[in-house]
Amino acid sequence: MQKLAFWTLSRIDTMNKNIARLRRAKSTRAHIRNLGVPRLSVLRTGQHLYAQVFTADGSQVLAAASTTQGDVKDGLKNGKNADAAAKVGRMIAEKAKAAGIEKVAFDRSGYRYHGRIKALADAAREGGLQF
């Protein structure tokens, strides 16, 4: 039997985690599609956080905010903490309300509801979005 290098095993483990996250996201998105309301989707990377509001059928982006934008980036130490997530949440709520959207379904993209994801959701709720 051939031995695998440590980095190969850790890469396989990481791939399995991502596959499980995508499976959870697929299930959630199928449920949201049946609701027929706009979807607030979140993407979390190691350095940044992105949020978009899609139409009910998912064909069009109605509002978007991320930690890479200049107006969000101002005053932040980095884009990978809960403070940055809260700022993105407030910004996405502001842009969604400007587009006439009050109620959305929260798509956490398979991520656990804690840390940056929770901070973004709480700030979006405080900003006036209902989900």
Side-chain angles (χ1 to χ4, degrees), residues 68-93:
T68 60
Q69 294 175 336
D71 52 348
V72 175
K73 197 185 298 187
D74 293 338
L76 292 176
K77 181 179 173 187
N78 59 36
K80 56 184 179 180
N81 57 16
D83 295 334
K87 200 164 185 182
V88 171
R90 286 190 294 274
M91 187 65 76
I92 196 73

Side-chain angles (χ1 to χ4, degrees), residues 39-104:
R39 172 171 60 106
L40 170 58
S41 182
V42 177
L43 173 67
R44 185 187 76 183
T45 67
Q47 298 295 319
H48 295 288
L49 193 67
Y50 305 85
Q52 294 179 318
V53 176
F54 292 97
T55 56
D57 61 353
S59 64
Q60 191 177 18
V61 176
L62 303 173
S66 72
T67 54
T68 60
Q69 294 175 336
D71 52 348
V72 175
K73 197 185 298 187
D74 293 338
L76 292 176
K77 181 179 173 187
N78 59 36
K80 56 184 179 180
N81 57 16
D83 295 334
K87 200 164 185 182
V88 171
R90 286 190 294 274
M91 187 65 76
I92 196 73
E94 182 180 304
K95 289 182 177 184
K97 287 181 78 171
I101 300 166
E102 295 286 327
K103 189 171 184 176
V104 295

Side-chain angles (χ1 to χ4, degrees), residues 8-27:
T8 305
L9 292 175
S10 64
R11 182 172 168 89
I12 291 170
D13 190 39
T14 303
M15 288 171 47
N16 288 341
K17 284 182 181 180
N18 196 39
I19 289 168
R21 181 187 69 79
L22 293 173
R23 178 184 44 78
R24 288 190 300 269
K26 185 178 176 183
S27 171

